[in-house]
Amino acid sequence: MSLLKLSNVSAFYDASQALFDVSLSVEAGEVIALMGRNGMGKSTTVKVICRMLAHRDGQVLLDGQEMTGWPSHLAARAGIGLVPEGRRCFSNLTVRENLIAVARPGVWSLKSVAALFPRLRERQHQGAASLSGGEQQMLAIGRALMTNPRILILDEATEGLAPLVRREIWIAIARLKVETGMAIVVVDKSIKELAKVADKAVILEKGINVWNGKFSELTPAVTDPYLGV
């Protein structure tokens, strides 16, 4: 049984349909790349998974349990951890306060998050608003990990960051895959970096699944029309 499964999901913003029969599955320990150009439905799919947007048709299952009608806080309690696009740290709290505010029992703690991102330990008493963009992204990932999720979703976690910081984030994602066996969904555009961590890929075009398969099977015949500039 898949840890997370979307089957023929449609979703709307008022009268405008954003997703058309989208399907994907995530097994325990898998890293899935959710790909596509801007505005093609990736973040909408994330919102449906995290129950920030209700789907109208199809099924969304977590460990075989239908999530229809769930509020977003119940999805989080059930084990879905989100690193949202744009980071969205609690700017009026310190680094430490951001982390402990969402903490739930499990292997992830202040100590283990600091081991993944040592800079957060160094800045634990700083206000989140004073951090650099890269440090805020590390904090957003650490905050999601502090919920001790079963599946981690990273929505454009490296967008707009300096190359050295992007590299740190990708190294951290690789460590999470190897050292924790956590299921991860990564929304990103970097084929080169995704190839190092992703097991499978799902590509969306105008809210429709246009490709689904092993990441190693992605070819220019697929990437050029759907991911190229």
Side-chain angles (χ1 to χ4, degrees):
M1 179 188 299
S2 298
L3 177 57
L4 175 70
K5 187 175 181 67
L6 276 65
S7 300
N8 305 115
V9 167
S10 65
F12 291 73
Y13 292 105
D14 297 322
S16 299
Q17 188 166 359
L19 299 182
F20 301 79
D21 295 325
V22 168
S23 297
L24 63 84
S25 63
V26 186
E27 309 297 328
E30 272 191 330
V31 177
I32 307 298
L34 182 58
M35 306 176 74
R37 296 188 183 94
N38 291 340
M40 293 302 170
K42 305 184 301 297
S43 290
T44 299
T45 301
V46 169
K47 288 179 180 179
V48 168
I49 293 170
C50 295
R51 308 317 298 157
M52 294 183 289
L53 179 67
H55 62 289
R56 188 172 298 183
D57 299 302
Q59 284 188 316
V60 182
L61 305 175
L62 181 66
D63 228 2
Q65 186 173 4
E66 174 61 60
M67 299 172 69
T68 299
W70 285 21
S72 56
H73 71 268
L74 186 55
R77 287 179 185 172
I80 297 176
L82 173 64
V83 180
E85 185 177 11
R87 298 180 280 276
R88 302 182 195 175
C89 301
F90 303 126
S91 60
N92 60 327
L93 300 181
T94 66
V95 168
R96 180 185 175 88
E97 289 167 342
N98 264 271
L99 295 173
I100 64 176
V102 300
R104 300 182 70 224
V107 298
W108 287 99
S109 63
L110 291 172
K111 182 178 180 180
S112 52
V113 167
L116 185 66
F117 295 121
R119 282 201 236 179
L120 297 183
R121 181 194 296 114
E122 297 167 7
R123 289 157 174 71
Q124 62 178 313
H125 299 302
Q126 276 186 232
S130 71
L131 302 179
S132 69
E135 289 165 348
Q136 288 184 6
Q137 190 60 275
M138 293 174 192
L139 178 56
I141 295 172
R143 183 182 59 187
L145 292 172
M146 288 289 286
T147 69
N148 277 284
R150 301 167 65 196
I151 179 168
L152 182 68
I153 301 175
L154 300 112
D155 192 358
E156 302 286 5
T158 66
E159 187 174 29
L161 300 180
L164 285 177
V165 179
R166 285 172 56 89
R167 183 172 179 272
E168 285 188 63
I169 299 295
W170 284 113
I171 289 172
I173 294 171
R175 284 185 59 188
L176 289 174
K177 176 180 180 177
V178 172
E179 297 175 10
T180 72
M182 182 186 299
I184 304 174
V185 176
V186 184
V187 180
D188 206 278
K189 301 178 182 68
S190 177
I191 296 174
K192 178 182 177 181
E193 300 299 339
L194 285 168
K196 299 174 184 177
V197 296
D199 300 298
K200 296 191 303 191
V202 175
I203 300 177
L204 299 182
E205 173 84 1
K206 297 180 180 178
I208 301 170
N209 278 96
V210 292
W211 196 86
N212 189 334
K214 294 181 180 179
F215 201 94
S216 59
E217 295 174 351
L218 272 177
T219 65
V222 176
T223 59
D224 287 353
Y226 297 122
L227 303 176
V229 177

